[in-house]
């Protein structure tokens, strides 16, 4: 017999030599007498049951016992809880959840992950990465538990995950308020656009190194040392995607006053 089983236990056995009938006992109680070499116990309840089959010949002699134990589990596990995933995400959605309980005894052996109602993965643990997802968009995920008897739980509460692997547009119009300047270089640019998760900030680079991340479209660089500097800006969205760098703007910082003039008196009155 299959064990565990989520349906009526189905017993089969080899014919005994000279046997004309068989007695089937469940947990010590007679449940059937049959001439066949199989029996389906349609009155089973969840739990572990010991089945015994005894062969009987024409003289009424009863054989010894053939015994098997069957775990009956027709009860689905509880639905998984705590389904969560980072969102928005630039990579494949990574799901986690809390293990489901299975009170009937066969135990949870797998979880089925669904995306927008379609099964996309079956895993043994409580994490899954939807690496097959290629397109940006918003997706609904849920998880079902499966026990060793094949019973499937109800779905978990669904969650929405936005996948956004597309970078924002490049910021345009980067310009400096003045160059050369004796003050802190003051930069401004036009807002970039992002069709997915939305822009959350801008990285400002001076000579290739990030010097600030701001949420607006202006930045004043605390006065660097005198010199010539190349500034660029890149947009960053909520999924962590960064645009290409803007066109660079060069700012010359010169906060050093000129040397005082030297007055020379030529000759003197006599």
């Amino acid at each position: 017999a299959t064990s565990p089983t989520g349906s009526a236990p189905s017993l089969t056995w080899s014919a005994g030599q000279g046997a004309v009938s068989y007695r089937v006992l469940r947990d010590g109680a007679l449940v059937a007498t049959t001439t066949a070499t199989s029996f389906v116990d349609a009155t089973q309840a969840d739990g572990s049951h010991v089945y015994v089959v005894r062969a009987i010949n024409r003289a009424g002699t009863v054989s010894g016992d053939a015994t098997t134990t069957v775990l009956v589990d027709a009860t689905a596990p509880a639905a998984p809880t705590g389904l969560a995933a980072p969102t928005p995400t630039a990579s494949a959605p990574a799901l986690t959840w809390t293990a489901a309980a299975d009170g009937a005894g066969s135990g949870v052996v797998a979880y089925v992950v669904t995306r927008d109602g379609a099964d996309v993965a079956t895993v043994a643990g409580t994490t899954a990465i939807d690496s097959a997802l290629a397109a940006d968009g918003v997706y609904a995920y849920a998880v079902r538990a499966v026990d060793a008897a094949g019973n499937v739980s109800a779905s978990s509460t669904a969650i929405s995950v936005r996948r956004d692997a597309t970078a924002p547009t490049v910021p345009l119009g980067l310009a400096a308020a003045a160059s050369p300047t004796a003050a802190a270089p003051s930069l401004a640019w036009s807002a970039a656009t992002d069709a997915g998760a939305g822009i959350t900030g801008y990285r400002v680079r001076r000579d290739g190194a990030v010097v600030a991340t701001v949420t607006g479209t202006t930045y004043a660089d605390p006065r660097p040392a005198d010199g010539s500097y190349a500034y660029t800006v890149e947009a960053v969205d909520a999924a962590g995607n960064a645009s290409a760098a803007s066109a660079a703007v060069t700012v010359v910082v010169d906060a050093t006053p000129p040397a005082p003039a030297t007055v020379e008196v030529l000759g003197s009155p006599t």
Side-chain angles (χ1 to χ4, degrees), residues 20 72 80 144 173:
V20 295
V72 178
R144 305 189 309 271

Side-chain angles (χ1 to χ4, degrees), residues 116-204:
D116 292 343
D119 296 349
V120 293
T122 299
V123 298
T126 56
T127 62
I129 296 175
D130 187 8
S131 56
L133 182 62
D136 285 0
V138 179
Y139 300 92
Y141 286 91
V143 180
R144 305 189 309 271
V146 183
D147 68 18
N151 302 298
V152 182
S153 76
S155 291
S156 68
T157 300
I159 62 169
S160 292
V161 179
R162 177 183 285 277
R163 184 182 187 274
D164 177 7
T166 303
T169 62
V170 177
L172 301 176
L174 177 63
S179 180
T181 178
S186 181
L187 309 172
W189 56 92
S190 298
T193 60
D194 184 71
I199 291 172
T200 57
Y202 297 88
R203 292 179 188 145
V204 181

Side-chain angles (χ1 to χ4, degrees), residues 10 25 31 57 68 79 193 208 256 265:
S10 180
L25 295 85
V31 292
N57 63 17
T68 189
T193 60
T256 304
V265 179

Side-chain angles (χ1 to χ4, degrees), residues 26-269:
R26 184 207 319 123
D27 299 331
L30 181 67
V31 292
T33 298
T34 178
T35 58
T37 55
S38 63
F39 171 70
V40 177
D41 186 7
T43 62
Q44 92 294 346
D46 281 2
S48 181
H49 302 283
V50 177
Y51 287 89
V52 173
V53 177
R54 296 170 181 161
I56 305 171
N57 63 17
R58 293 184 182 277
T61 304
V62 180
S63 72
D65 295 347
T67 303
T68 189
T69 299
V70 178
L71 176 59
V72 178
D73 177 5
T75 303
T81 59
L83 179 61
T87 185
T89 177
S91 56
L95 310 171
T96 61
W97 58 90
T98 302
D102 185 54
S106 66
V108 173
V109 295
Y111 295 90
V112 178
V113 179
T114 63
R115 183 206 317 134
D116 292 343
D119 296 349
V120 293
T122 299
V123 298
T126 56
T127 62
I129 296 175
D130 187 8
S131 56
L133 182 62
D136 285 0
V138 179
Y139 300 92
Y141 286 91
V143 180
R144 305 189 309 271
V146 183
D147 68 18
N151 302 298
V152 182
S153 76
S155 291
S156 68
T157 300
I159 62 169
S160 292
V161 179
R162 177 183 285 277
R163 184 182 187 274
D164 177 7
T166 303
T169 62
V170 177
L172 301 176
L174 177 63
S179 180
T181 178
S186 181
L187 309 172
W189 56 92
S190 298
T193 60
D194 184 71
I199 291 172
T200 57
Y202 297 88
R203 292 179 188 145
V204 181
R205 294 180 183 268
R206 184 205 312 133
D207 293 341
V210 175
V211 292
T213 298
V214 297
T215 57
T217 56
T218 61
Y219 174 67
D221 189 8
R223 185 187 300 166
D226 284 2
S228 179
Y229 301 97
Y231 288 90
T232 59
V233 177
E234 57 199 45
V236 181
D237 68 20
N241 302 298
S243 74
S246 69
V249 63
T250 299
V251 179
V252 174
V253 177
D254 182 4
T256 304
T262 302
V263 178
E264 183 180 353
V265 179
L266 299 176
S268 60

